[in-house]
Structure formats: C-alpha cells, structure tokens
Amino acid sequence: MPSVSDSAKIAQIHYIYQARPNKERADKFATRKLGRIGYELDTDHTDKDVLTAKKGNNIHINYSGTNIESPRDILSDIALSVGLQSKNKQFSDRRKKTREVMRKYGDDKDYSLSGHSLGGSIALNTMKESKSIRDRVKVVHALNPGYTPLFHESLKVPKDVKKDLDKKVNIHKVSGDVVSAHAKKETAFGNLFQYKADKDSDLLEKHSLDTFTNVEM
C-alpha cells in the first residue's frame, strides 16, 4: 500500500493535468514520474479530477485539489466549507469515477485513496458516503484537506462505521495550514497526524505537499 510520501508524490504529479490541458502530454509526464516510484498510470481512468495508478495488487486513486482558475472547484470549496458537499455535483462525480475504476479491476485488488486540499475533502466524503467504496478501500491519506466545523458535522457517522473508518483513514495536516485548520481540534473519523513546516514557511508553503513527500509511514 502507498506510503504518505508516495501518496503526496502522486498528488503532486496529478496537478500536471491542471497545468497542461493537453491530456496526451500530461499522460506522458505522469507516466514518467509515476514510474520513478514504481507505479503505472491507467490513462483510461485518469483526468484532471481523478488519477488512477497501479503497483502490484494496489490500485491507487487520487483526487486532485482546487484549481483556483476553475469556478467549479471554487463552488465545491464553498459547498464543503458550509457542509453542503452532498449537494455538490463534483463530489458525486468523483465517487462515480471511483466506482468505475473498481468495476474495471474487481474485488480482489487492494484499493487506496489520496487527495490534497479539496481532493482530501472529497476522499473523506467518499469514504463516508459510499459503503461499496468504503468496503473495498484499505487505506486513505488525506493531505491538508479542507476541513471546517460544518464540514466536520456533515461527516459524522454511526459508531460502527466510525470504528471501520478509524482503521483505514489517515488525515495529515501541517500546523499553520489555514485550509485544514479545524482538523487540529477534532476529526469526524480517522487518525490525525500533524507536522511542523519550516519556520520561514509562508501560508502557501504550509498548504503545499512538500512537507509530506519525505514522510515514511
């Protein structure tokens, strides 16, 4: 299963699809970069929203974070901030794409999820909303996910579901990151890991993936 470091590197690689609208070129870049950490890109199930990579029996699915030039992403950020992501089409669309990946590969694979920022929030919400996905996923790494008090309330689950999610879900946040700020107080489920950024880091650097790329876990 992917480490925190590999999950962060995959999330970094995924952002190329926002920077390069040409999917063929983005696929070539992602294939080369993923190969360096032992993963193979599934180009048929990768786009700017969802990246699918394979390594042995592991099928890893990453949800990309906010593209600040995308009105759709900004609306999704607003929806989660007020706990109304269940009514947001992008959240449901990414769950649908995840189910499509799982239908392709079947039940005998070891599935994992990751996501940074908005992507991390979508990963958490996906595990809460979909039992079929939750039952198949072995581990989740949510990296500096968007997390507010209302989002927290919307994620609450029954005790038996929480017990299951606590075994699978890991929430990683950097101290001083404003996007994931509320997660330092409490999380609806999962294990919380906090990290210190360099003392000279600005707000963008604290929210970036750089802190996680060298974490061995």
Side-chain angles (χ1 to χ4, degrees):
M1 302 304 288
S3 64
V4 179
S5 174
D6 281 352
S7 296
K9 290 173 183 176
I10 292 169
Q12 280 184 329
I13 292 166
H14 195 181
Y15 277 116
I16 195 63
Y17 288 85
Q18 294 181 2
R20 295 185 181 181
N22 185 304
K23 186 176 185 299
E24 183 178 354
R25 291 182 179 179
D27 283 345
K28 289 180 178 179
F29 174 90
T31 296
R32 185 173 68 255
K33 293 289 188 180
L34 286 169
R36 294 177 182 174
I37 55 174
Y39 278 87
E40 177 186 353
L41 180 71
D42 180 342
T43 57
D44 292 335
H45 290 88
T46 295
D47 56 25
K48 65 181 182 300
D49 296 330
V50 174
L51 180 149
T52 305
K54 303 175 287 183
K55 184 178 183 179
N57 205 53
N58 175 217
I59 305 299
H60 186 76
I61 300 166
N62 182 76
Y63 304 124
S64 64
T66 302
N67 178 351
I68 60 173
E69 296 180 357
S70 167
R72 182 191 62 156
D73 285 4
I74 300 302
L75 286 174
S76 295
D77 284 332
I78 294 170
L80 81 86
S81 72
V82 296
L84 294 177
Q85 69 279 356
S86 63
K87 301 180 183 299
N88 182 265
K89 188 174 185 297
Q90 184 167 194
F91 276 77
S92 59
D93 282 350
R94 295 198 196 189
R95 285 200 302 276
K96 180 180 178 181
K97 290 178 180 180
T98 302
R99 292 190 187 98
E100 289 171 354
V101 172
M102 292 180 170
R103 279 196 293 271
K104 173 180 178 178
Y105 289 102
D107 292 338
D108 62 343
K109 298 295 183 182
D110 296 324
Y111 292 97
S112 53
L113 302 180
S114 64
H116 171 241
S117 194
L118 169 63
S121 305
I122 291 176
L124 296 176
N125 189 73
T126 295
M127 292 294 283
K128 182 245 180 176
E129 292 288 344
S130 175
K131 185 178 186 302
S132 65
I133 294 174
R134 181 167 68 242
D135 288 347
R136 290 170 174 81
V137 169
K138 299 293 179 66
V139 65
V140 178
H141 291 302
L143 309 160
N144 276 344
Y147 207 96
T148 67
L150 291 175
F151 182 66
H152 169 80
E153 290 298 320
S154 73
L155 286 183
K156 288 185 176 180
V157 293
K159 289 183 179 179
D160 60 327
V161 177
K162 183 180 186 303
K163 183 177 180 180
D164 183 34
L165 290 173
D166 286 346
K167 298 175 183 177
K168 301 179 178 184
V169 176
N170 303 296
I171 300 170
H172 307 271
K173 72 175 301 294
V174 175
S175 296
D177 172 44
V178 297
V179 175
S180 59
H182 187 71
K184 72 180 180 181
K185 298 179 181 178
E186 57 181 343
T187 58
F189 51 77
N191 308 288
L192 177 64
F193 299 90
Q194 298 195 61
Y195 307 81
K196 290 184 178 180
D198 293 338
K199 63 180 181 179
D200 296 326
S201 298
D202 60 26
L203 291 178
L204 286 176
E205 290 168 333
K206 288 177 181 177
H207 187 58
S208 78
L209 287 157
D210 293 344
T211 301
F212 307 118
T213 55
N214 294 313
V215 175
E216 292 304 325
M217 172 183 163

